[in-house]
Amino acid sequence: MAEKLDSDRIREIYKLCKSHFGDVRFVGLKYHSQIGWVAKAQFNSEEVGNLTADGDNGTEALRKLRNRVKKII
């Protein structure tokens, strides 16, 4: 089986968020010079706003974001 890529993790988080929160604006990953890697899920809903998680690398940040979403769900 092929190794899971960050793009696969982003799709998984997007599906989780879409099924629970509804309207998802985006789920993404970026590098911030002072914080490091930041994974973010942003929603069109004013109630939720956005969820973020940071890590030493992109994969770690996405894993933390997925775990955070699962705790909320």
Side-chain angles (χ1 to χ4, degrees), residues 6 29 31 36-39 53-63:
D6 286 347
L29 182 66
Y31 183 76
W37 287 97
V38 179
D54 60 86
D56 294 333
N57 57 52
T59 302
E60 180 183 341
L62 287 168
R63 284 182 180 152

Side-chain angles (χ1 to χ4, degrees), residues 27-63:
V27 175
L29 182 66
K30 72 176 186 176
Y31 183 76
H32 190 282
S33 60
Q34 294 174 336
I35 300 170
W37 287 97
V38 179
K40 183 175 186 179
Q42 190 169 29
F43 306 95
N44 288 329
S45 168
E46 293 295 322
E47 298 167 5
V48 182
N50 61 54
L51 298 170
T52 61
D54 60 86
D56 294 333
N57 57 52
T59 302
E60 180 183 341
L62 287 168
R63 284 182 180 152

Side-chain angles (χ1 to χ4, degrees), residues 15-31:
K15 287 177 187 176
L16 279 172
C17 291
K18 183 97 170 150
S19 67
H20 185 75
F21 299 110
D23 206 10
V24 179
R25 186 174 295 162
F26 76 89
V27 175
L29 182 66
K30 72 176 186 176
Y31 183 76

